[in-house]
Every structure is written in C-alpha cells, then in structure tokens.
Amino acid sequence: MSDRDSLVETLMSPAGRIARVAVGTLLILLGLGVVGGLLGILMLIVGAAMLVTAAMKWLAIGPLLGRDIHGLKEGEEPPEEEAQGEPERGTRED
C-alpha cells in the first residue's frame, strides 16, 4: 500500500472524519473570532468545506491523490452496505 492509499484510508475512516470535523470547526472559530480580514474569510470557507465533506463522506482532495471524491480508485466498486431499517413492503413474516 502506498502512502497515498494509506492517507486516503485514514481520512475516510471514522476517526479521520472526526478529525476533519474538529479541524474544520477550529478553522471556522479562528477565522471568525481571531484572524479576521481576507485570511479569516478563507479560513471560514476551508473550515466549512471540511465540515460538509466529512458529513457527506466525501474527500475533496481525493482527485489530488488519484481518487474520486468518494475515495475510490478508477474502476473500483463501492462497498455494498447492509440494508437497514424496515423490511420491504409486501413481505410478511408469519
């Protein structure tokens, strides 16, 4: 596994997403309350982008690392997630 692959896996993991939320929140708070000006606005935008992409399970820097925004390599299929929730309508368990 290359360094890029391990970085993508780390950023897409739950711990990586939590870290992106924490850093994004910190950038927003610093941009609004401490820095100000153009740099503060840029910090606000970057922080908001980090929050949104972490919440949506996207990786905005994925294309820079040879992946798509979902962290997948070209031609790679997304993992199938287990169906959760209510059973399909029309099926009855007696």
Side-chain angles (χ1 to χ4, degrees), residues 43-90:
M43 290 172 71
L44 176 67
I45 291 169
V46 171
M50 290 179 78
L51 288 178
V52 169
T53 58
M56 299 296 292
K57 295 184 182 180
W58 293 344
L59 186 60
I61 64 168
L64 298 175
L65 300 172
R67 304 286 186 105
D68 65 5
I69 64 167
H70 302 288
L72 301 174
K73 291 181 182 177
E74 185 177 332
E76 189 175 50
E77 294 291 322
E80 291 192 26
E81 296 181 15
E82 273 188 37
Q84 297 178 357
E86 299 179 18
E88 294 180 20
R89 292 183 182 236

Side-chain angles (χ1 to χ4, degrees), residues 8-30:
V8 169
E9 294 300 321
T10 301
L11 290 173
M12 292 300 290
S13 71
R17 291 178 51 219
I18 290 170
R20 289 190 285 155
V21 167
V23 171
T25 303
L26 181 66
L27 284 173
I28 290 171
L29 292 174
L30 288 174

